[in-house]
């Protein structure tokens, strides 16, 4: 009996070992796979796939990232937002600021050998606003800028009437709706990239769904890619007009979504950079390879003055001022985010644009307009309560449930409750999409929200709160603010000094009204190999520029 | 038998139709839109884009169009991956999930059965308690903890296996183990309980009296009887595991379908969500049919017949 039992156990163990042996077949091949020393290879991770490479349809950060590196528009953004030559070598602006004439280089080629011409820009821009294309960024980036863009998109005039034409193969003439001083920086954006009509039309529905269905004219070509790939490469483009400036031979990418796994791969030396989520920052902030990259994304509280047709307590300016001053932002960014993010005491981010003629950062010129001050906040609060004739106020705090968001929302709400006696706050964290829905419906009291710029001009932020603007959604209206911004886009558009004065004034009004409560300006924390040099972090468009990067 | 299978296939089509309908209407209830830049566009501009997706049409029209495509095997075009058919996304993604899932199912089930048998034969002994502890741990530790632990110990600290990524056979090892723990624990638990029951029954005593060896008794008389409940749970579990785990795939950076499903939901990629749901449902009912047929094979007393009982 005993013997039998053991023979059974033996049989079971045999079964187990067979299975174990079967799965032990793999051998470790990962080491020594690196490339030759002479070859410049950068190994990076991407947090998601590239959903499309169609510049007219692109909407997400990764699409714009890889479009930016594999294609080239009229201009390219360099270090500190400096505009560098692209396909255009120079341009002239007419006296009224409405007609821009670009001279294109004649040595730029598509990866199939075709020359890049002015016709490629005309085709691409028309395609971006053509309603049949169904582009989201086309009407957004071109509407109100290029003549007739909005009308074409609505189908009111034929697409041929869009204000762009090729005077000859290498001269592009653009007519604008209003003088647009930041048009140069707009032309670096993905939606403005040229397209080779013959190639795009030959690909039909398949265009830009894989490497084979794409043409490139940028510093790199995108290789081994399909829209569902998890790995791909950027390879130095031998046909690029400025190939001598490109040092890297290759950049490899693999999709890794889990930040911990990313950091582990970095520790094992398999990748050269890894992003850090806030829970990882504490562990790695003393690491030699730890760096932070300041961004131009600003986060703030939207204070809704009208909800469901009725005025909220936030319609009272003293209540809003109290809220704007009641949050200790320094402590929030240092203790909770701890990734280099800084407290925002205004709307326009630091190091984003300079005030022309003064060589002074916009933020510095404008000063601290919304600072934390517990005592002042309390005074405004009591004044506000008195005006409303109440002793307490309950507000709903709407946030989304993204990474960091929950903890940070808790913190902000708690600061408000502590510093403003009689304030009750209910936090409502919902998925991002739902927050946008509630925002559109203006169905919230306080909302934690943020904005990233689309071009290098304060207008990209300030335009958010013009009366009934598509992003206002909080019942804010100040005719003086509206007037200043309208002037900035029309009468003052050709006078940069006055224009910036108007925008500085507008920001002041916005925060005197305490229309919003700025909280912080974001930084990204990451681990970056000391061998890697000269990766430029852009404020708009593609997040990173690798054209001039090298390994040493 | 053939009639039975035919009838079941008929039910399958009805079930799929109901699931397709339900998921279609649930989709309509999701907040937000598939637009990415919706906070940047006016209502009018949004409408122009939604036109392209066919989302401005009345819901019944969209429903009929969806069903018509479905009958022709067309799951539509993804909203997120422009111009990429959902079928292509599913095909690209199901491979890694199915491979890791299959390995985990096979290894997990076999090890679990072995563990359960050992526990039953050595009932209330040391080996029984050990295997019960393993089974309890296996069911109670959340997979992201277990997977994270495996990754940390065997990849980061010991360096035996790759940390993450996909492509070589060795990349599948840690995720397979992480996934195998569920079928392992389940199989061990079921087999142990059933075997303890069966081994104590009268016919086992009879068999023993007839002089059949213990191994013979356990394998021939005991094990087969104990398998029935296990087969019932293992089938649906196989579907679950082979269609991918979002957590495991994210931690080990596997380009699988479970992770894809969750990210599609987050960006309101309706066609991909529905396609994945249908694929899941389809696999599920096929497996249930197979399980029902297996019952007859394992235990001839259970007969599958059409109509007349």
């Amino acid at each position: 009996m005993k013997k039998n039992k053991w023979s059974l156990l033996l049989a079971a163990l045999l079964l187990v070992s067979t299975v174990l042996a079967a799965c032990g077949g793999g051998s470790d091949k990962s080491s020594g796979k690196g490339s030759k020393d002479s070859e410049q290879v950068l190994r990076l991770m991407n947090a998601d796939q590239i959903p499309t490479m169609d510049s007219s349809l692109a909407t997400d950060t990764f699409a714009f990232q890889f479009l930016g590196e594999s294609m080239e528009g009229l201009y390219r953004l360099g270090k500190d937002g400096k505009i560098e030559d692209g396909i255009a070598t120079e341009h002239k602006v007419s006296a009224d600021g409405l007609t821009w004439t670009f001279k294109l280089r004649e040595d730029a080629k598509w990866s199939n050998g075709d020359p890049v011409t002015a016709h490629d820009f005309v085709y691409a821009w028309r395609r971006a606003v053509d309603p049949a294309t169904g582009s989201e960024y086309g009407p957004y980036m071109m509407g109100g800028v290029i003549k007739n863009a909005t009308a074409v998109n609505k189908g009111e005039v034929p697409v041929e009437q869009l204000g762009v034409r090729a005077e000859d193969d290498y001269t592009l003439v653009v007519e604008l709706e209003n003088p647009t001083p930041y048009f140069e920086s707009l032309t670096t954006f993905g939606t403005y990239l040229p397209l080779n009509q013959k190639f795009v039309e030959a690909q039909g529905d398949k265009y830009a769904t894989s490497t084979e269905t794409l043409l490139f004219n940028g510093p790199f070509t995108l290789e081994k890619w399909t829209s569902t790939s998890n790995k791909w490469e950027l390879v130095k483009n031998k046909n690029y007009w400025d190939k001598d400036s490109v040092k890297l031979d290759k950049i490899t990418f693999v999709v890794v979504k889990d930040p911990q796994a990313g950091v582990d791969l970095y520790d094992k030396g398999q990748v050269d950079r890894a992003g850090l989520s806030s829970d990882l920052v504490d562990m790695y902030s003393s690491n030699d390879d730890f760096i932070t990259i300041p961004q131009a994304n600003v986060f703030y509280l939207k204070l809704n003055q009208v909800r469901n047709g009725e005025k909220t307590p936030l319609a009272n300016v003293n209540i809003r001022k109290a809220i704007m001053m009641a949050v200790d932002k320094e402590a929030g960014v240092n203790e909770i985010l701890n990734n280099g993010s800084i407290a925002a005491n205004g709307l326009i981010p630091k190091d984003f644009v300079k005030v022309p003629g003064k060589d002074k950062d916009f933020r510095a010129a404008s000063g601290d307009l919304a600072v934390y001050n517990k005592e002042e906040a309390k005074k405004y609060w009591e004044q506000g309560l008195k005006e409303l004739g109440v002793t307490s106020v309950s507000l709903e705090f709407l946030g989304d449930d993204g990474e960091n968001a929950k903890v940070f929302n808790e913190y902000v709400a708690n600061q408000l409750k502590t510093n403003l006696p009689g304030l009750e706050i209910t936090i409502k964290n919902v998925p991002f999409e739902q927050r946008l829905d509630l925002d559109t419906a203006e169905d919230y009291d306080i909302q934690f929200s943020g904005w990233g710029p689309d071009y290098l001009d304060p207008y990209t932020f300030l335009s958010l709160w013009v009366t009934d603007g598509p992003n206002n959604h909080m019942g804010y209206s100040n005719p003086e603010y509206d007037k200043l911004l309208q002037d900035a886009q029309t009468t003052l558009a050709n006078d940069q000094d006055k224009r910036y004065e108007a925008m500085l004034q507008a920001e002041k009004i916005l925060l005197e009204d305490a229309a919003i409560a700025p909280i912080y300006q974001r930084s990204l924390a990451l681990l970056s190999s000391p061998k890697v040099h000269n990766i430029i972090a852009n404020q708009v468009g593609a997040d990173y520029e690798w054209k001039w990067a090298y390994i040493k | 038998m053939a009639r039975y299978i035919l009838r079941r296939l008929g039910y399958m089509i009805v079930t799929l139709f109901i699931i397709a309908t339900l998921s279609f209407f649930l989709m309509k209830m999701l907040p937000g839109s598939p637009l990415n830049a919706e906070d940047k566009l006016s209502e009018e501009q949004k409408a122009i884009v939604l036109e392209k997706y066919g989302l401005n049409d009345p819901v019944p029209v969209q429903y009929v169009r969806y069903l018509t495509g479905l009958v022709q095997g067309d799951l539509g075009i993804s909203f997120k991956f422009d111009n990429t058919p959902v079928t292509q996304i599913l095909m690209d993604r199901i491979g890694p999930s199915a491979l890791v899932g299959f390995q985990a199912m096979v290894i997990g089930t076999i090890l679990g059965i072995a563990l359960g048998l050992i526990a039953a034969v050595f009932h209330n002994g040391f080996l029984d308690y050990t295997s019960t502890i393993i089974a309890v741990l296996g069911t109670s530790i959340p997979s992201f903890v277990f997977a994270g632990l495996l990754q940390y110990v065997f990849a980061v600290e010991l360096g035996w296996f790759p940390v993450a990524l996909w492509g070589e056979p060795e990349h599948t090892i840690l995720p397979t183990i992480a996934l195998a723990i569920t079928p392992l624990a389940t199989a061990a638990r079921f087999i142990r309980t059933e075997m303890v029951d069966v081994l104590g029954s009268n016919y086992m005593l009879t068999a023993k009296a007839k002089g059949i060896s213990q191994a013979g008794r356990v394998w021939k008389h005991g094990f087969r009887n104990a398998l029935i409940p296990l087969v019932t749970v293992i089938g649906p579990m196989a579907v679950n595991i082979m269609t991918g785990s979002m957590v495991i795939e994210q931690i080990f950076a596997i380009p699988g379908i479970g992770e894809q499903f969750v990210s599609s939901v987050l960006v309101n990629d309706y066609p991909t969500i529905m396609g994945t749901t249908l694929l899941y449902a389809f696999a599920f009912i096929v497996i249930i049919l197979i399980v029902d047929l297996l019952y007859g094979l394992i235990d001839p007393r259970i007969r599958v017949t059409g109509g007349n009982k």
Side-chain angles (χ1 to χ4, degrees):
Chain A
M1 159 92 190
K2 262 254 132 56
K3 204 176 114 207
N4 274 339
K5 250 188 185 177
W6 284 110
S7 68
L8 194 76
L9 176 64
L10 212 65
L13 283 177
L14 213 69
L15 205 67
V16 173
S17 56
T18 323
V19 171
L20 286 180
C23 56
S27 62
D28 192 8
K29 281 185 280 184
S30 53
S31 56
K33 231 185 196 171
S35 41
K36 291 164 281 167
D37 289 344
S38 56
E39 218 186 4
Q40 291 261 323
V41 180
L42 179 63
R43 301 159 306 164
L44 297 176
M45 295 181 285
N46 217 50
D48 206 342
Q49 294 154 296
I50 314 172
T52 184
M53 280 292 285
D54 186 327
S55 52
S56 313
L57 296 178
T59 50
D60 83 307
T61 148
F62 298 125
F64 288 128
Q65 175 64 63
F66 289 93
L67 281 167
E69 296 308 284
S70 64
M71 305 272 214
E72 185 151 88
L74 293 172
Y75 291 111
R76 177 173 289 276
L77 277 184
K79 214 173 169 72
D80 300 323
K82 192 169 162 264
I83 305 280
E84 302 278 353
D85 275 5
I87 301 300
T89 50
E90 55 174 334
H91 68 265
K92 282 199 305 265
V93 187
S94 64
D96 59 3
L98 289 175
T99 308
W100 289 53
T101 308
F102 293 89
K103 199 88 205 109
L104 308 192
R105 65 178 63 255
E106 296 183 17
D107 56 349
K109 281 196 176 65
W110 290 102
S111 45
N112 66 354
D114 288 358
V116 180
T117 67
H119 304 285
D120 297 334
F121 286 93
V122 175
Y123 171 67
W125 295 11
R126 284 180 180 171
R127 186 171 182 264
V129 291
D130 188 340
T133 310
S135 166
E136 292 179 54
Y137 261 73
Y140 173 63
M141 294 300 288
M142 294 179 179
V145 176
I146 297 179
K147 196 175 156 196
N148 286 336
T150 305
V152 168
N153 189 242
K154 285 183 184 168
E156 289 166 4
V157 300
V159 72
E160 288 73 24
Q161 291 197 22
L162 184 70
V164 57
R165 63 174 201 274
E167 203 166 84
D168 57 56
D169 279 1
Y170 299 102
T171 311
L172 184 74
V173 181
V174 185
E175 283 173 77
L176 303 185
E177 216 135 83
N178 295 304
T180 310
Y182 51 86
F183 187 63
E184 237 181 344
S185 93
L186 274 180
T187 66
T188 66
F189 198 82
T191 317
Y192 284 87
L193 291 168
L195 290 170
N196 184 318
Q197 179 169 10
K198 214 168 68 196
F199 183 84
V200 172
E201 284 174 354
Q203 300 302 322
D205 275 353
K206 290 276 145 233
Y207 174 68
T209 54
S210 67
T211 294
E212 289 69 37
T213 55
L214 276 168
L215 276 191
F216 310 102
N217 71 337
F220 301 95
T221 61
L222 180 68
E223 304 292 338
K224 302 181 183 170
W225 176 81
T226 69
S227 57
T228 52
S229 311
N230 254 55
K231 296 178 193 180
W232 59 85
E233 290 171 357
L234 283 176
V235 176
K236 182 174 173 170
N237 183 0
K238 304 233 158 32
N239 283 321
Y240 183 50
W241 65 269
D242 193 22
K243 61 172 185 284
D244 295 340
S245 303
V246 182
K247 307 276 189 324
L248 291 174
D249 294 304
K250 191 158 87 175
I251 315 177
T252 62
F253 295 88
V254 60
V255 173
V256 176
K257 295 189 181 179
D258 185 49
Q260 179 68 57
V263 169
D264 291 343
L265 288 168
Y266 181 85
D267 276 342
K268 289 276 161 198
Q270 292 183 14
V271 288
D272 297 316
R273 272 192 161 192
L276 296 170
S277 52
S278 64
D279 52 327
L280 291 170
V281 168
D282 285 338
M283 267 173 73
Y284 287 90
S285 53
S286 55
N287 190 301
D288 288 342
D289 299 353
F290 180 84
I291 61 167
T292 59
I293 296 178
Q295 293 197 310
N297 296 55
V298 177
F299 293 83
Y300 43 78
L301 302 179
K302 283 177 83 167
L303 307 174
N304 190 11
Q305 304 186 20
V306 183
R307 184 175 183 175
N308 301 326
E310 277 177 41
K311 279 192 174 179
T312 68
L314 297 166
N316 181 295
V317 66
N318 287 316
I319 296 284
R320 292 201 304 273
K321 277 189 178 168
I323 288 177
M324 188 177 81
M325 302 173 108
V327 181
D328 187 349
K329 303 175 244 190
E330 290 289 339
V333 292
N334 293 335
E335 277 153 40
I336 297 180
L337 299 174
N338 190 21
N339 57 4
S341 297
I342 54 170
N345 292 328
L347 169 64
I348 309 300
K350 190 168 165 266
D351 296 327
F352 174 58
V353 282
K354 285 200 164 70
V355 179
K358 287 187 185 154
D359 200 37
K360 202 169 180 191
D361 188 56
F362 189 103
R363 185 75 267 125
S366 185
D368 290 337
L369 305 175
V371 280
Y372 165 59
N373 187 331
K374 212 158 54 170
E375 289 73 31
E376 283 283 299
K378 212 163 169 182
K379 267 186 225 157
Y380 281 119
W381 180 248
E382 276 156 9
Q383 177 69 23
L385 289 182
K386 212 192 289 170
E387 285 166 14
L388 291 174
V390 294
T391 50
S392 69
V393 166
S394 331
L395 295 173
E396 181 190 78
F397 187 107
L398 175 67
D400 58 57
D401 55 3
E403 200 225 341
N404 306 340
K406 277 185 187 161
V407 187
F408 204 81
N409 293 349
E410 291 276 348
Y411 171 77
V412 174
N414 192 43
Q415 284 278 307
L416 293 175
K417 269 192 284 195
T418 319
N419 292 337
L420 305 174
L423 174 61
E424 265 319 304
I425 290 204
T426 342
I427 298 186
K428 179 168 163 187
N429 286 328
V430 298
F432 178 70
E433 288 284 341
Q434 199 177 346
R435 177 166 74 76
L436 292 188
D437 272 7
L438 291 169
D439 179 64
T440 309
E442 295 187 35
D443 193 4
Y444 66 93
D445 297 324
I446 300 177
Q447 181 189 172
F448 194 86
S449 184
W451 192 258
D454 292 303
Y455 42 87
L456 291 173
D457 192 90
Y459 190 73
T460 187
F461 286 100
L462 291 166
S463 62
L464 296 174
W465 292 290
V466 294
T467 303
D468 294 328
N471 253 288
N472 190 315
H473 294 319
M474 58 182 201
Y476 174 69
S477 171
N478 185 330
E480 211 184 330
Y481 181 79
D482 294 348
K483 172 82 171 56
L484 284 166
L485 284 177
Q486 202 191 340
D487 289 350
Q489 288 306 90
T490 51
T491 49
L492 302 178
N494 286 324
D495 185 342
Q496 281 296 62
D497 293 348
K498 290 222 174 90
R499 181 168 177 269
Y500 265 77
E501 249 166 57
M503 292 195 292
L504 283 163
Q505 185 59 28
E507 192 195 34
K508 228 160 235 145
I509 291 173
L510 185 77
L511 294 169
E512 265 165 23
D513 285 346
I516 54 162
I519 303 287
Y520 73 91
Q521 179 181 349
R522 182 170 76 185
S523 270
L524 296 181
L526 42 97
L527 297 174
S528 177
S529 160
K531 297 184 308 187
V532 179
H533 302 274
N534 224 13
I535 294 181
I536 297 170
N538 287 329
Q539 308 280 40
V540 299
D543 286 341
Y544 297 103
E545 177 60 75
W546 296 305
K547 177 179 168 181
W548 295 282
Y550 60 94
I551 290 170
K552 199 172 147 192
Chain B
M1 186 73 172
R3 257 183 78 188
Y4 172 79
I5 294 181
L6 263 180
R7 211 178 63 194
R8 287 292 298 264
L9 287 177
Y11 287 150
M12 271 169 67
I13 291 169
V14 176
T15 316
L16 274 180
F17 168 76
I18 293 172
I19 291 170
T21 305
L22 272 179
S23 61
F24 176 86
F25 286 102
L26 281 174
M27 204 84 345
K28 294 281 147 215
M29 290 163 64
L30 271 184
S33 78
L35 301 189
N36 248 319
E38 59 181 310
D39 53 343
K40 304 189 170 180
L41 298 179
S42 67
E43 290 306 318
E44 203 175 0
Q45 288 169 331
K46 281 186 209 171
I48 292 168
V49 183
L50 291 178
E51 184 67 39
K52 185 186 72 163
Y53 293 128
L55 291 173
N56 287 341
D57 299 334
V59 172
V61 174
Q62 292 182 40
Y63 176 63
V64 171
R65 187 170 47 218
Y66 169 63
L67 279 191
T68 318
L70 201 61
V71 173
Q72 296 159 350
D74 176 9
L75 294 172
I77 302 288
S78 163
F79 288 172
K80 178 184 176 189
F81 301 99
D82 288 308
N83 288 335
T84 305
V86 171
T87 39
Q88 188 195 328
I89 297 177
L90 296 183
M91 303 266 258
D92 283 0
R93 288 287 187 144
I94 191 70
S97 294
L99 175 65
V100 172
F102 179 74
Q103 289 182 181
M105 271 317 286
V106 171
I107 293 169
T109 317
I110 292 178
L111 289 183
I113 289 174
L115 217 60
L117 281 178
I118 293 168
V121 172
F122 297 90
H123 189 41
N124 285 339
F126 170 72
L127 285 174
D128 182 16
Y129 294 132
T130 318
S131 77
T132 308
I133 287 171
I134 295 177
V136 169
L137 285 181
T139 6
S140 50
I141 299 181
S143 61
F144 66 92
V145 174
F146 187 60
L149 215 64
L150 281 177
Q151 188 182 44
Y152 180 72
V153 175
F154 294 104
V156 177
E157 287 299 311
L158 296 173
W160 293 356
F161 304 109
V163 170
L165 305 187
W166 186 251
E168 307 288 332
E170 63 256 34
H171 287 130
T172 69
I173 296 173
L174 288 182
T176 299
I177 298 173
L179 270 180
I181 193 76
T182 312
L184 184 146
T186 313
R189 233 157 24 100
F190 272 90
I191 290 290
R192 179 188 172 276
T193 318
E194 285 300 311
M195 281 301 280
V196 166
D197 246 25
V198 171
L199 288 178
S201 62
N202 288 333
Y203 66 86
M204 290 304 278
L205 208 64
T206 315
K208 193 176 173 186
K210 281 181 174 169
I212 302 174
S213 72
Q214 185 182 14
R217 292 201 307 275
V218 168
W219 279 119
K220 228 175 144 185
H221 299 274
F223 183 56
R224 208 163 163 171
N225 277 312
L227 261 185
I228 291 288
L230 180 65
V231 167
T232 312
V233 290
I234 267 292
M237 188 193 291
V239 177
N240 238 323
I241 286 185
M242 289 178 62
T243 47
S245 147
M246 180 255 174
V247 173
I248 305 279
E249 286 171 5
Q250 180 138 345
I251 290 181
F252 292 106
I254 301 171
I257 206 161
E259 196 272 323
Q260 178 68 63
F261 182 57
V262 177
S263 49
S264 309
V265 173
L266 291 179
V267 296
N268 285 341
D269 186 351
Y270 304 150
T272 310
I273 305 172
M274 289 191 284
T276 321
T277 312
L278 278 181
L279 176 76
Y280 184 84
F282 179 73
F284 205 82
I285 42 192
V286 167
I287 285 281
I288 288 180
L289 175 64
I290 293 175
V291 166
D292 283 352
L293 295 176
L294 271 183
Y295 282 154
L297 285 182
I298 295 167
D299 188 344
R301 288 171 300 181
I302 305 173
R303 283 193 201 289
V304 285
T305 48
N308 311 324
K309 300 231 165 94

